[in-house]
Amino acid sequence: MPTPLIDSFGRVHRDLRISITDRCNFRCVYCMPEEGMTWTPRAELLTFEEIERVARVLVERFGFDSIRLTGGEPTVRARLPVLVEKLAGLGVDLAMTTNGATLALMADDLAAAGLRRINISLDSLRRDRFLELTRRDALDDVLAGIDAAVAAGIAPVKLNVVLMRGINDDEVLDFAAFGRDRGVEVRFIEFMPLDADATWGPDKVVPGGEIVATVDAVHPLDAQARGSDPAQRFCYRDGRGAIGIIPTVSDAFCGDCDRVRLTAEGGLRNCLFALDETDLRALLRDGATDDDLAAAVTANVGAKWAGHQINQVHFIRPKRTMSQIGG
């Protein structure tokens, strides 16, 4: 029987986020600088076999039941369906977060390999603004990817929308209408201090309560019970779907967080805002046993702090950006 992986605050961890590359086919303004980004050499990335081994230890030893593939952009990693099939074989709830730019080309293959859920990052429905935010004119490709994921039977399909004050906060109702029409769930995410240019400030955060009020005024909503998922869900009263709010800044959900993160080069992080990592790649390549890996994971999670403390005077910003950590 698996032994629950519990930190010092009594939180049980069972959700693994795996970044499989730090490369991306976009250069989103809040993820990475326009120039000067240095990619991790291929030899330093975990292989599919190494990723599968770490995941297997977490599933078999600690009862992890959820795995999400992230990046960078996971679809730029060659032979992605092969990894999906390996991880799906562990019997977990397997999902992926992607920018959707090439999803139309591989949605069927990913679904056939065992991908069950998908989140597509999309921060504007306006062509000029999309280009400004991503530095690529690929909105049509992303929209096609959304439709392809739905057609392939991947469900649910969710959109991740990072709202930034004065940049795209005027699109809340546009996204709500898009989700209702397309049959996908829009999740509005508060802007977090993980942007590449370190320009984040609380004045750029659109609080979740404001987002809910904006949507509710046009499309009445009913709040749903919140579990360990970071999103607070609100269903449309007329039955046409739901939205999610991830209030990382205004109403942090650290007390219910059940996640650990594995970076593309094998660093285990017990929090998105962690300042330290455990190097699992070194263990894997130095002949560590599964017991050694399990012990390293236990020690890492045991040192997890109570919360990230954004907006507190003693908050320390991580050196890594979101594109380097994985979502």
Side-chain angles (χ1 to χ4, degrees), residues 178-201:
F178 181 89
R180 286 164 60 84
D181 292 342
R182 282 304 221 287
V184 299
E185 183 171 320
V186 179
R187 306 202 317 171
F188 296 103
I189 303 172
E190 293 182 350
F191 186 30
M192 294 179 286
L194 289 168
D195 55 310
D197 295 328
T199 61
W200 179 91

Side-chain angles (χ1 to χ4, degrees), residues 105-116:
L105 303 175
M106 61 178 68
D108 288 336
D109 290 340
L110 292 172
L115 187 69
R116 291 294 170 260

Side-chain angles (χ1 to χ4, degrees), residues 37-292:
M37 191 73 181
T38 301
W39 307 121
T40 302
R42 178 63 181 272
E44 296 181 15
L45 299 178
L46 293 185
T47 66
F48 287 177
E49 290 73 24
E50 289 169 334
I51 292 171
E52 181 189 17
R53 186 177 172 205
V54 172
R56 185 178 297 279
V57 167
L58 291 175
V59 170
E60 295 181 351
R61 297 293 183 96
F62 302 114
F64 273 57
D65 55 15
S66 178
I67 294 177
R68 178 176 294 275
L69 298 178
T70 72
E73 171 48 43
T75 61
V76 305
R77 184 80 184 254
R79 301 171 62 240
L80 177 59
V82 173
L83 176 61
V84 169
E85 186 171 13
K86 287 178 179 291
L87 297 177
L90 299 177
V92 296
D93 178 17
L94 184 60
M96 184 175 75
T97 298
T98 173
N99 62 31
T102 59
L103 188 57
L105 303 175
M106 61 178 68
D108 288 336
D109 290 340
L110 292 172
L115 187 69
R116 291 294 170 260
R117 298 187 295 116
I118 198 162
N119 287 47
I120 300 170
S121 299
L122 178 61
D123 298 324
S124 181
L125 294 167
R126 304 180 187 182
R127 188 175 307 280
D128 58 339
R129 187 175 289 171
F130 182 93
L131 174 60
E132 182 180 355
L133 289 172
T134 66
R135 303 186 176 108
R136 183 172 174 185
D137 185 13
L139 179 58
D140 288 342
D141 295 331
V142 177
L143 297 179
I146 294 169
D147 291 339
V150 172
I154 300 174
V157 175
K158 298 180 181 180
L159 301 188
N160 286 352
V161 182
V162 177
L163 285 181
M164 295 162 280
R165 179 77 71 191
I167 296 178
N168 64 345
D169 55 325
D170 57 344
E171 294 189 60
V172 170
L173 289 177
D174 293 340
F175 272 109
F178 181 89
R180 286 164 60 84
D181 292 342
R182 282 304 221 287
V184 299
E185 183 171 320
V186 179
R187 306 202 317 171
F188 296 103
I189 303 172
E190 293 182 350
F191 186 30
M192 294 179 286
L194 289 168
D195 55 310
D197 295 328
T199 61
W200 179 91
D203 59 315
K204 296 184 178 180
V205 176
V206 184
E210 178 181 327
I211 300 167
V212 172
T214 299
V215 177
D216 184 64
V218 178
H219 306 292
L221 297 165
D222 289 321
Q224 306 299 298
R226 183 173 174 180
S228 61
D229 190 278
Q232 168 71 61
R233 296 183 75 245
F234 296 83
C235 290
Y236 291 113
R237 202 165 295 162
D238 63 6
R240 292 182 59 188
I243 64 169
I245 304 293
I246 302 182
T248 310
V249 178
S250 67
D251 185 19
F253 48 87
C254 300
D256 296 318
C257 180
D258 64 350
R259 299 176 176 181
V260 297
R261 287 175 167 82
L262 185 66
T263 68
E265 69 274 30
L268 184 70
R269 301 174 63 87
N270 56 34
C271 175
L272 185 61
F273 292 90
L275 302 178
D276 299 303
E277 299 174 353
T278 297
D279 187 355
L280 296 188
R281 185 186 66 196
L283 291 174
L284 288 164
R285 297 183 181 180
D286 287 343
T289 65
D290 286 356
D291 287 341
D292 295 330

Side-chain angles (χ1 to χ4, degrees), residues 294-311:
V297 170
T298 300
N300 179 280
V301 172
K304 187 171 184 175
W305 50 21
H308 54 60
Q309 299 176 329
I310 295 175
N311 286 329

